Amino acid sequence: MAFLEWAIHETSLHSLVNAGSRDIYLILFLRFLRMFAYGGAALVVGIFLYSIGNDGKQLAMFLSMTLLGDAVISYFLTVKADRIGRRRVLVVGSLLMTAAGVVFAISTNYYLLLFAAIVGVISPGAHEVGPFRAVQESILAQLTPIEARTDVYAWFSVMSTVGMATGLFSAGWITHFVRNRYEWDWKDPRVYPYVFAVYAIVGLIKACVTLLLTQKCEPDEFARRELDLADREATAPLLNDGYRRTHRRGVSGKATGAVRGIWRTLTTTLSADSRRILVRLCVLFAVNSVAAGMLPVTVVSWYLNWRFSWFVLYRVGYAMAGIWILASIANLFSASVARRVGLVRAMVFTHLPSAIFLAFIPLAEDWKLVFMLLLASSVFASMDQAPRTAFVAACFSSSERTAVMGTINLVRTVASIGGPILAGYFHDRDLWRITFLLAAALKVLYDVGLLVMFLKTKLPEYENGPREVTVTDVDVDILLSDSETFQRPPYDSLEAEDMEEDDAASLNKATTERVESVG
């Protein structure tokens, strides 16, 4: 009994049960579905492109252009998600997944596949693409009490790794079954459309499940007013001849206006301190994403098939599934680690060993040792996801989070574009060792930068508290404990009607006066 209580606490299950709601559970299920589809597609997309006659350079360009297209579309959807409607954006993203899956299931034309991958949503590396993650993380931050947030994010990460493992295993089994049934060679492109058909079906299921989310997932009243006010303040000086000239320029004017609108979202919604934090985060996450982009699941699968000729695709799928299952178990304890050492230290102390294990992979001669190093690297790398997400959420106010997370996801995706190109370049010159060593070095640089830049970051959620609170304080004393010493401003977690009557009246009056002064 004592062990059961310990396990429930250390795996953050108690927080998920106590703070959970229907919307939170649906979001966790949606992430499982998404990563199931991403894992299956990532296992086969590289070999599928190779089987239809593309070389290493074409494959690398395909992966990079796919990431670029996903980044652009995702960013436009994410930045405007709080205005368009978060649930609408999630539905649109799911339908784009379905469209891309259908094209991959029925076509072998390189350029049509490239167009579908750019316009639709295809994950070439079993990692997050599309508008989903930023929007869902923002919803979870809004629905979850701050003391339980990292625990819930830990389960959000677990759903990612479990979904990925299930998708990898399923894709390996499907390709093995199809090959045996029809006696096709693994290089036969007819083996792989079945996996993409499943990808399309999962997109449709995601769209249907998203419709079950409630209004609570949308921005709360205060955040919506702040966004509306930011729009008024940004556009008031433009509603003159300059605006009319832009409007008369037609399509190009509309495109310019859209870009300006996104820029205004970041410059007016974020405070000066938040912009400085965002810039530093973007630089560090870009460095880490270049490293991650060099060795996604697609490239690792390619590497294993190239190095161990007997390590055929379904064995790769089973092996990677086992790795991610163990990574899921490790993810359950990520919040427990952060509870003891702090968010930033937890991010670094779990991510740094991952880089070290990664560097030794090309030096290992035996496939069993390679597998063990991949396992260790993946397990440690996955453990920093929940602390990282909780850290980013804590550094920004509720009205800033969706735009900030969308911006960070864009930077990470764009930065990862160079990874496949570098991997393809080194592969053509038989320099796989350089690929792993360079990726490991960039990861170490990212970890050192986190420690140097962010141990003393102020937290806006406690700006009204009895003393100034930084990341170092909140790591141990607040975010991951049951302490109620500090309370965040009530509007960040409660609807306006749940506020104290006097506070709500004061807030409404102040906001109305600001709107009238601008409008």
Side-chain angles (χ1 to χ4, degrees):
M1 192 67 181
F3 173 79
L4 181 61
E5 292 179 356
W6 173 86
I8 291 173
H9 182 76
E10 294 300 315
T11 59
S12 307
L13 184 59
H14 68 294
S15 294
L16 182 65
V17 173
N18 294 332
S21 64
R22 170 185 166 181
D23 289 320
I24 290 176
Y25 298 143
L26 285 176
I27 288 172
L28 296 180
F29 180 57
L30 285 169
R31 193 174 206 210
F32 169 83
L33 289 175
R34 180 167 71 254
M35 298 312 296
F36 172 87
Y38 287 173
L43 180 69
V44 304
V45 68
I47 298 176
F48 170 65
L49 292 172
Y50 175 77
S51 71
I52 60 177
N54 300 294
D55 57 21
K57 291 182 180 179
Q58 288 174 306
L59 175 58
M61 184 58 64
F62 186 96
L63 298 180
S64 297
M65 293 301 296
T66 298
L67 290 171
L68 179 61
D70 287 338
V72 173
I73 293 175
S74 300
Y75 188 62
F76 273 87
L77 289 175
T78 303
V79 169
K80 295 297 183 180
D82 285 355
R83 294 173 176 81
I84 298 172
R86 292 172 178 172
R87 291 171 294 174
R88 291 192 184 98
V89 168
L90 294 177
V91 170
V92 169
S94 299
L95 294 178
L96 288 175
M97 282 182 63
T98 297
V102 168
V103 173
F104 271 74
I106 64 176
S107 176
T108 57
N109 182 276
Y110 178 84
Y111 296 102
L112 181 58
L113 294 173
L114 180 60
F115 175 79
I118 291 175
V119 176
V121 178
I122 282 283
S123 175
H127 54 71
E128 283 282 7
V129 295
F132 309 106
R133 180 174 179 172
V135 175
Q136 290 179 344
E137 286 175 347
S138 184
I139 293 173
L140 289 177
Q142 179 174 304
L143 298 179
T144 308
I146 192 169
E147 64 271 9
R149 187 178 296 161
T150 305
D151 293 343
V152 173
Y153 280 144
W155 279 93
F156 189 65
S157 298
V158 168
M159 290 300 103
S160 172
T161 49
V162 171
M164 207 182 313
T166 309
L168 287 164
F169 183 90
S170 299
W173 181 86
I174 289 171
T175 55
H176 183 56
F177 175 81
V178 171
R179 285 179 55 214
N180 287 342
R181 180 179 179 84
Y182 297 104
E183 298 182 351
W184 291 338
D185 184 79
W186 70 272
K187 294 181 181 180
D188 193 320
R190 293 176 295 178
V191 172
Y192 307 105
Y194 295 91
V195 176
F196 297 118
V198 172
Y199 187 95
I201 293 171
V202 171
L204 279 179
I205 296 173
K206 282 182 74 275
C208 295
V209 174
T210 302
L211 296 176
L212 301 177
L213 295 173
T214 69
Q215 180 64 30
K216 294 178 182 178
C217 297
E218 303 298 342
D220 58 31
E221 186 63 25
F222 178 80
R224 189 178 294 108
R225 291 177 184 178
E226 287 292 297
L227 290 168
D228 291 341
L229 180 59
D231 276 348
R232 288 174 178 265
E233 290 175 340
T235 57
L238 300 176
L239 298 179
N240 50 29
D241 292 340
Y243 172 80
R244 287 190 290 272
R245 285 194 298 270
T246 301
H247 184 70
R248 285 195 298 268
R249 284 199 291 267
V251 175
S252 62
K254 291 179 181 179
T256 303
V259 173
R260 288 179 177 175
I262 292 173
W263 175 250
R264 287 195 300 271
T265 297
L266 295 177
T267 56
T268 60
T269 302
L270 304 186
S271 65
D273 288 340
S274 294
R275 284 196 293 271
R276 283 192 289 270
I277 293 173
L278 179 60
V279 169
R280 287 184 287 170
L281 283 174
C282 286
V283 171
L284 290 177
F285 287 158
V287 171
N288 188 49
S289 294
V290 171
M294 294 174 69
L295 295 168
V297 170
T298 299
V299 174
V300 172
S301 172
W302 186 10
Y303 171 74
L304 291 175
N305 275 282
W306 168 80
R307 187 170 177 187
F308 305 104
S309 57
W310 61 270
F311 219 141
V312 293
L313 185 62
Y314 78 93
R315 290 196 183 105
V316 175
Y318 296 164
M320 297 300 292
I323 287 173
W324 286 107
I325 285 292
L326 291 177
S328 303
I329 297 173
N331 257 329
L332 291 174
F333 294 91
S334 61
S336 179
V337 173
R339 188 178 292 114
R340 289 165 171 78
V341 302
L343 289 177
V344 174
R345 296 185 187 93
M347 293 161 63
V348 173
F349 294 169
T350 56
H351 194 262
L352 189 59
S354 169
I356 296 172
F357 288 124
L358 193 67
F360 282 99
I361 287 176
L363 305 179
E365 296 295 333
D366 184 63
W367 73 266
K368 296 179 182 178
L369 183 56
V370 170
F371 178 80
M372 294 301 296
L373 290 170
L374 272 174
L375 172 63
S377 179
S378 299
V379 166
F380 278 102
S382 67
M383 290 184 69
D384 83 317
Q385 294 181 32
R388 181 178 65 225
T389 306
F391 167 70
V392 173
C395 287
F396 301 93
S397 64
S398 61
S399 61
E400 298 173 334
R401 286 191 191 115
T402 305
V404 164
M405 290 176 174
T407 303
I408 289 174
N409 281 348
L410 172 70
V411 170
R412 292 172 61 184
T413 304
V414 171
S416 65
I417 290 172
I421 296 176
L422 288 172
Y425 175 84
F426 291 130
H427 170 267
D428 290 342
R429 287 157 179 78
D430 198 17
L431 295 173
W432 274 111
R433 181 174 299 183
I434 302 298
T435 305
F436 284 87
L437 291 176
L438 180 58
L442 291 174
K443 286 177 177 288
V444 171
L445 181 62
Y446 159 79
D447 292 325
V448 174
L450 282 175
L451 285 176
V452 172
M453 294 184 185
F454 286 107
L455 276 180
K456 297 297 181 181
T457 302
K458 298 178 184 178
L459 298 180
E461 290 191 290
Y462 293 96
E463 59 187 3
N464 295 337
R467 65 180 176 87
E468 182 180 275
V469 179
T470 67
V471 169
T472 304
D473 301 319
V474 84
D475 279 353
V476 180
D477 298 331
I478 301 171
L479 263 184
L480 303 174
S481 72
D482 298 324
S483 172
E484 296 182 358
T485 304
F486 302 98
Q487 297 292 333
R488 58 178 172 169
Y491 55 76
D492 196 39
S493 61
L494 301 176
E495 298 290 340
E497 62 267 25
D498 294 329
M499 296 178 182
E500 293 293 334
E501 196 170 308
D502 293 341
D503 292 341
S506 300
L507 175 63
N508 292 337
K509 181 178 178 181
T511 305
T512 302
E513 289 175 353
R514 289 177 63 194
V515 171
E516 290 176 350
S517 66
V518 174

